[in-house]
Amino acid sequence: TYTPAPTAPATSPTATPTLRWEGSPPAKVGGIVKLKLNVSAADAISALPVQVKYDPTVLEAVDARAGRFLAQSGKKVDFTKRIVGASGMIFVTQNVAGDGARGEGDLVEFEFKALKPVPSSLVTALPTMAAGSTGRPTQQTAAALIGVTVTP
């Protein structure tokens, strides 16, 4: 199972964008771990780059896909990803033209392959700057942590 870091439950969108993980049950070695990074924002966001850090001896990053949050604007989302497996980093950029999106939703979906058993291995979305509808940075998010369990 995933073990989210202690945070207040999502209630309503906040002025400062908030990131929160949602995960899958424990994976067996060789199995796939699926994680969603959700966002909550009262103000419109047109871009939100994401950097994710994980232990590459425990997990192998397989893919990162755009979630539905920015797509709710009805405009095309420009999405790029770069997985640097040796250092356990995933870099994602995504933006949308116009007013952007607000509210709550899934920002990015990640897939990892479980490599070795551990009771809990942290996956961290590092703090980042959201851009508002003008494209200028608005507010910095806090880090979001989740523990991933891998069984033999």
Side-chain angles (χ1 to χ4, degrees), residues 16-17 19 45-51 94 126-132 135-142:
T16 302
L19 300 176
I45 294 175
S46 64
L48 188 59
V50 175
Q51 295 180 37
Q94 57 184 327
L126 301 174
T128 188
M129 291 294 289
R136 292 191 174 157
T138 56
Q139 302 222 11
Q140 182 171 1
T141 68

PDB file of all heavy atoms in Angstrom, residues 16-17 19 45-51 94 126-132 135-142:
ATOM      1  N   THR A  16      -2.791  28.619  -2.484  1.00  0.00           N
ATOM      2  CA  THR A  16      -1.486  28.061  -2.829  1.00  0.00           C
ATOM      3  C   THR A  16      -1.725  26.658  -3.374  1.00  0.00           C
ATOM      4  O   THR A  16      -2.352  25.842  -2.706  1.00  0.00           O
ATOM      5  CB  THR A  16      -0.569  27.981  -1.592  1.00  0.00           C
ATOM      6  OG1 THR A  16      -0.419  29.287  -1.050  1.00  0.00           O
ATOM      7  CG2 THR A  16       0.779  27.397  -1.943  1.00  0.00           C
ATOM      8  N   PRO A  17      -1.256  26.356  -4.585  1.00  0.00           N
ATOM      9  CA  PRO A  17      -1.473  25.003  -5.116  1.00  0.00           C
ATOM     10  C   PRO A  17      -0.899  23.944  -4.172  1.00  0.00           C
ATOM     11  O   PRO A  17       0.191  24.108  -3.626  1.00  0.00           O
ATOM     12  CB  PRO A  17      -0.712  25.017  -6.440  1.00  0.00           C
ATOM     13  CG  PRO A  17      -0.553  26.455  -6.793  1.00  0.00           C
ATOM     14  CD  PRO A  17      -0.492  27.191  -5.487  1.00  0.00           C
ATOM     15  N   LEU A  19      -0.025  19.794  -3.697  1.00  0.00           N
ATOM     16  CA  LEU A  19       0.178  18.507  -4.362  1.00  0.00           C
ATOM     17  C   LEU A  19      -0.099  17.391  -3.365  1.00  0.00           C
ATOM     18  O   LEU A  19       0.245  17.497  -2.186  1.00  0.00           O
ATOM     19  CB  LEU A  19       1.617  18.394  -4.882  1.00  0.00           C
ATOM     20  CG  LEU A  19       2.043  19.448  -5.898  1.00  0.00           C
ATOM     21  CD1 LEU A  19       3.511  19.264  -6.256  1.00  0.00           C
ATOM     22  CD2 LEU A  19       1.173  19.376  -7.140  1.00  0.00           C
ATOM     23  N   ILE A  45      -4.131  27.807 -12.975  1.00  0.00           N
ATOM     24  CA  ILE A  45      -2.753  27.383 -13.238  1.00  0.00           C
ATOM     25  C   ILE A  45      -2.657  27.077 -14.724  1.00  0.00           C
ATOM     26  O   ILE A  45      -3.463  26.315 -15.260  1.00  0.00           O
ATOM     27  CB  ILE A  45      -2.394  26.117 -12.430  1.00  0.00           C
ATOM     28  CG1 ILE A  45      -2.389  26.418 -10.941  1.00  0.00           C
ATOM     29  CG2 ILE A  45      -1.058  25.550 -12.883  1.00  0.00           C
ATOM     30  CD1 ILE A  45      -2.169  25.191 -10.083  1.00  0.00           C
ATOM     31  N   SER A  46      -1.651  27.673 -15.388  1.00  0.00           N
ATOM     32  CA  SER A  46      -1.440  27.373 -16.807  1.00  0.00           C
ATOM     33  C   SER A  46      -0.233  26.475 -17.016  1.00  0.00           C
ATOM     34  O   SER A  46      -0.079  25.875 -18.075  1.00  0.00           O
ATOM     35  CB  SER A  46      -1.278  28.659 -17.619  1.00  0.00           C
ATOM     36  OG  SER A  46      -0.112  29.354 -17.197  1.00  0.00           O
ATOM     37  N   ALA A  47       0.633  26.372 -16.001  1.00  0.00           N
ATOM     38  CA  ALA A  47       1.808  25.494 -16.082  1.00  0.00           C
ATOM     39  C   ALA A  47       2.223  25.086 -14.678  1.00  0.00           C
ATOM     40  O   ALA A  47       2.141  25.884 -13.743  1.00  0.00           O
ATOM     41  CB  ALA A  47       2.967  26.203 -16.780  1.00  0.00           C
ATOM     42  N   LEU A  48       2.657  23.843 -14.559  1.00  0.00           N
ATOM     43  CA  LEU A  48       3.137  23.350 -13.265  1.00  0.00           C
ATOM     44  C   LEU A  48       4.185  22.274 -13.525  1.00  0.00           C
ATOM     45  O   LEU A  48       3.861  21.107 -13.721  1.00  0.00           O
ATOM     46  CB  LEU A  48       1.975  22.788 -12.434  1.00  0.00           C
ATOM     47  CG  LEU A  48       2.291  22.419 -10.990  1.00  0.00           C
ATOM     48  CD1 LEU A  48       2.807  23.625 -10.211  1.00  0.00           C
ATOM     49  CD2 LEU A  48       1.051  21.875 -10.298  1.00  0.00           C
ATOM     50  N   PRO A  49       5.468  22.670 -13.575  1.00  0.00           N
ATOM     51  CA  PRO A  49       6.512  21.673 -13.773  1.00  0.00           C
ATOM     52  C   PRO A  49       6.625  20.783 -12.534  1.00  0.00           C
ATOM     53  O   PRO A  49       6.339  21.231 -11.427  1.00  0.00           O
ATOM     54  CB  PRO A  49       7.776  22.516 -13.969  1.00  0.00           C
ATOM     55  CG  PRO A  49       7.480  23.816 -13.307  1.00  0.00           C
ATOM     56  CD  PRO A  49       5.993  24.001 -13.391  1.00  0.00           C
ATOM     57  N   VAL A  50       7.024  19.547 -12.750  1.00  0.00           N
ATOM     58  CA  VAL A  50       7.122  18.590 -11.645  1.00  0.00           C
ATOM     59  C   VAL A  50       8.468  17.880 -11.722  1.00  0.00           C
ATOM     60  O   VAL A  50       8.896  17.449 -12.792  1.00  0.00           O
ATOM     61  CB  VAL A  50       5.985  17.539 -11.725  1.00  0.00           C
ATOM     62  CG1 VAL A  50       6.145  16.483 -10.650  1.00  0.00           C
ATOM     63  CG2 VAL A  50       4.624  18.213 -11.614  1.00  0.00           C
ATOM     64  N   GLN A  51       9.133  17.767 -10.563  1.00  0.00           N
ATOM     65  CA  GLN A  51      10.341  16.958 -10.428  1.00  0.00           C
ATOM     66  C   GLN A  51      10.065  15.915  -9.359  1.00  0.00           C
ATOM     67  O   GLN A  51       9.679  16.264  -8.251  1.00  0.00           O
ATOM     68  CB  GLN A  51      11.540  17.809 -10.006  1.00  0.00           C
ATOM     69  CG  GLN A  51      11.948  18.825 -11.029  1.00  0.00           C
ATOM     70  CD  GLN A  51      13.137  19.636 -10.547  1.00  0.00           C
ATOM     71  OE1 GLN A  51      14.026  19.113  -9.891  1.00  0.00           O
ATOM     72  NE2 GLN A  51      13.143  20.913 -10.857  1.00  0.00           N
ATOM     73  N   GLN A  94       4.545  20.716 -18.252  1.00  0.00           N
ATOM     74  CA  GLN A  94       3.269  20.741 -18.960  1.00  0.00           C
ATOM     75  C   GLN A  94       2.670  22.124 -18.815  1.00  0.00           C
ATOM     76  O   GLN A  94       2.797  22.767 -17.784  1.00  0.00           O
ATOM     77  CB  GLN A  94       2.328  19.654 -18.464  1.00  0.00           C
ATOM     78  CG  GLN A  94       2.012  19.676 -17.002  1.00  0.00           C
ATOM     79  CD  GLN A  94       1.140  18.497 -16.616  1.00  0.00           C
ATOM     80  OE1 GLN A  94       0.315  18.035 -17.387  1.00  0.00           O
ATOM     81  NE2 GLN A  94       1.316  18.004 -15.424  1.00  0.00           N
ATOM     82  N   LEU A 126       9.112  17.208  -5.610  1.00  0.00           N
ATOM     83  CA  LEU A 126       9.837  18.327  -5.021  1.00  0.00           C
ATOM     84  C   LEU A 126       9.028  19.622  -5.149  1.00  0.00           C
ATOM     85  O   LEU A 126       8.175  19.743  -6.033  1.00  0.00           O
ATOM     86  CB  LEU A 126      11.200  18.468  -5.700  1.00  0.00           C
ATOM     87  CG  LEU A 126      12.099  17.224  -5.601  1.00  0.00           C
ATOM     88  CD1 LEU A 126      13.367  17.403  -6.419  1.00  0.00           C
ATOM     89  CD2 LEU A 126      12.432  16.904  -4.152  1.00  0.00           C
ATOM     90  N   PRO A 127       9.308  20.610  -4.286  1.00  0.00           N
ATOM     91  CA  PRO A 127       8.603  21.891  -4.405  1.00  0.00           C
ATOM     92  C   PRO A 127       8.786  22.479  -5.803  1.00  0.00           C
ATOM     93  O   PRO A 127       9.842  22.326  -6.416  1.00  0.00           O
ATOM     94  CB  PRO A 127       9.292  22.772  -3.354  1.00  0.00           C
ATOM     95  CG  PRO A 127       9.874  21.810  -2.375  1.00  0.00           C
ATOM     96  CD  PRO A 127      10.258  20.601  -3.184  1.00  0.00           C
ATOM     97  N   THR A 128       7.761  23.157  -6.289  1.00  0.00           N
ATOM     98  CA  THR A 128       7.802  23.710  -7.639  1.00  0.00           C
ATOM     99  C   THR A 128       6.993  25.006  -7.687  1.00  0.00           C
ATOM    100  O   THR A 128       6.207  25.279  -6.789  1.00  0.00           O
ATOM    101  CB  THR A 128       7.272  22.692  -8.665  1.00  0.00           C
ATOM    102  OG1 THR A 128       7.500  23.184  -9.979  1.00  0.00           O
ATOM    103  CG2 THR A 128       5.807  22.388  -8.470  1.00  0.00           C
ATOM    104  N   MET A 129       7.200  25.767  -8.738  1.00  0.00           N
ATOM    105  CA  MET A 129       6.471  27.027  -8.925  1.00  0.00           C
ATOM    106  C   MET A 129       5.382  26.850  -9.974  1.00  0.00           C
ATOM    107  O   MET A 129       5.662  26.461 -11.107  1.00  0.00           O
ATOM    108  CB  MET A 129       7.411  28.142  -9.380  1.00  0.00           C
ATOM    109  CG  MET A 129       8.399  28.593  -8.329  1.00  0.00           C
ATOM    110  SD  MET A 129       7.620  29.392  -6.908  1.00  0.00           S
ATOM    111  CE  MET A 129       7.102  30.933  -7.616  1.00  0.00           C
ATOM    112  N   ALA A 130       4.159  27.144  -9.600  1.00  0.00           N
ATOM    113  CA  ALA A 130       3.045  27.127 -10.549  1.00  0.00           C
ATOM    114  C   ALA A 130       3.022  28.451 -11.298  1.00  0.00           C
ATOM    115  O   ALA A 130       3.384  29.487 -10.750  1.00  0.00           O
ATOM    116  CB  ALA A 130       1.734  26.924  -9.801  1.00  0.00           C
ATOM    117  N   ALA A 131       2.599  28.405 -12.556  1.00  0.00           N
ATOM    118  CA  ALA A 131       2.415  29.627 -13.332  1.00  0.00           C
ATOM    119  C   ALA A 131       0.923  29.886 -13.484  1.00  0.00           C
ATOM    120  O   ALA A 131       0.145  28.969 -13.734  1.00  0.00           O
ATOM    121  CB  ALA A 131       3.072  29.501 -14.698  1.00  0.00           C
ATOM    122  N   GLY A 132       0.542  31.137 -13.323  1.00  0.00           N
ATOM    123  CA  GLY A 132      -0.858  31.519 -13.451  1.00  0.00           C
ATOM    124  C   GLY A 132      -1.247  31.725 -14.909  1.00  0.00           C
ATOM    125  O   GLY A 132      -0.496  31.383 -15.833  1.00  0.00           O
ATOM    126  N   GLY A 135       1.168  33.207 -17.318  1.00  0.00           N
ATOM    127  CA  GLY A 135       2.395  32.465 -17.585  1.00  0.00           C
ATOM    128  C   GLY A 135       3.508  32.792 -16.616  1.00  0.00           C
ATOM    129  O   GLY A 135       4.569  32.181 -16.648  1.00  0.00           O
ATOM    130  N   ARG A 136       3.287  33.747 -15.729  1.00  0.00           N
ATOM    131  CA  ARG A 136       4.302  34.119 -14.741  1.00  0.00           C
ATOM    132  C   ARG A 136       4.162  33.251 -13.493  1.00  0.00           C
ATOM    133  O   ARG A 136       3.046  32.895 -13.101  1.00  0.00           O
ATOM    134  CB  ARG A 136       4.149  35.579 -14.347  1.00  0.00           C
ATOM    135  CG  ARG A 136       4.491  36.502 -15.472  1.00  0.00           C
ATOM    136  CD  ARG A 136       4.579  37.903 -14.972  1.00  0.00           C
ATOM    137  NE  ARG A 136       5.055  38.743 -16.062  1.00  0.00           N
ATOM    138  CZ  ARG A 136       4.857  40.015 -16.127  1.00  0.00           C
ATOM    139  NH1 ARG A 136       4.208  40.624 -15.168  1.00  0.00           N
ATOM    140  NH2 ARG A 136       5.319  40.709 -17.137  1.00  0.00           N
ATOM    141  N   PRO A 137       5.309  32.927 -12.850  1.00  0.00           N
ATOM    142  CA  PRO A 137       5.243  32.139 -11.608  1.00  0.00           C
ATOM    143  C   PRO A 137       4.370  32.842 -10.570  1.00  0.00           C
ATOM    144  O   PRO A 137       4.408  34.062 -10.440  1.00  0.00           O
ATOM    145  CB  PRO A 137       6.696  32.072 -11.150  1.00  0.00           C
ATOM    146  CG  PRO A 137       7.497  32.297 -12.392  1.00  0.00           C
ATOM    147  CD  PRO A 137       6.675  33.229 -13.240  1.00  0.00           C
ATOM    148  N   THR A 138       3.572  32.051  -9.874  1.00  0.00           N
ATOM    149  CA  THR A 138       2.676  32.616  -8.875  1.00  0.00           C
ATOM    150  C   THR A 138       3.072  32.170  -7.471  1.00  0.00           C
ATOM    151  O   THR A 138       3.639  32.944  -6.731  1.00  0.00           O
ATOM    152  CB  THR A 138       1.213  32.235  -9.156  1.00  0.00           C
ATOM    153  OG1 THR A 138       1.115  30.809  -9.233  1.00  0.00           O
ATOM    154  CG2 THR A 138       0.704  32.865 -10.428  1.00  0.00           C
ATOM    155  N   GLN A 139       2.830  30.919  -7.135  1.00  0.00           N
ATOM    156  CA  GLN A 139       3.115  30.441  -5.787  1.00  0.00           C
ATOM    157  C   GLN A 139       3.838  29.109  -5.840  1.00  0.00           C
ATOM    158  O   GLN A 139       3.626  28.308  -6.744  1.00  0.00           O
ATOM    159  CB  GLN A 139       1.811  30.270  -5.015  1.00  0.00           C
ATOM    160  CG  GLN A 139       1.039  31.556  -4.946  1.00  0.00           C
ATOM    161  CD  GLN A 139       0.450  31.778  -3.582  1.00  0.00           C
ATOM    162  OE1 GLN A 139       0.760  31.089  -2.620  1.00  0.00           O
ATOM    163  NE2 GLN A 139      -0.407  32.766  -3.473  1.00  0.00           N
ATOM    164  N   GLN A 140       4.688  28.893  -4.844  1.00  0.00           N
ATOM    165  CA  GLN A 140       5.440  27.645  -4.762  1.00  0.00           C
ATOM    166  C   GLN A 140       4.645  26.606  -3.988  1.00  0.00           C
ATOM    167  O   GLN A 140       4.049  26.904  -2.963  1.00  0.00           O
ATOM    168  CB  GLN A 140       6.779  27.873  -4.072  1.00  0.00           C
ATOM    169  CG  GLN A 140       7.626  26.619  -4.014  1.00  0.00           C
ATOM    170  CD  GLN A 140       9.030  26.901  -3.530  1.00  0.00           C
ATOM    171  OE1 GLN A 140       9.378  28.008  -3.215  1.00  0.00           O
ATOM    172  NE2 GLN A 140       9.844  25.861  -3.472  1.00  0.00           N
ATOM    173  N   THR A 141       4.645  25.386  -4.518  1.00  0.00           N
ATOM    174  CA  THR A 141       4.009  24.280  -3.812  1.00  0.00           C
ATOM    175  C   THR A 141       4.981  23.730  -2.771  1.00  0.00           C
ATOM    176  O   THR A 141       6.196  23.926  -2.873  1.00  0.00           O
ATOM    177  CB  THR A 141       3.645  23.131  -4.765  1.00  0.00           C
ATOM    178  OG1 THR A 141       4.852  22.539  -5.247  1.00  0.00           O
ATOM    179  CG2 THR A 141       2.802  23.608  -5.926  1.00  0.00           C
ATOM    180  N   ALA A 142       4.462  23.026  -1.794  1.00  0.00           N
ATOM    181  CA  ALA A 142       5.291  22.278  -0.855  1.00  0.00           C
ATOM    182  C   ALA A 142       5.594  20.916  -1.478  1.00  0.00           C
ATOM    183  O   ALA A 142       4.932  20.492  -2.437  1.00  0.00           O
ATOM    184  CB  ALA A 142       4.562  22.105   0.475  1.00  0.00           C
TER     185      ALA A 142
END
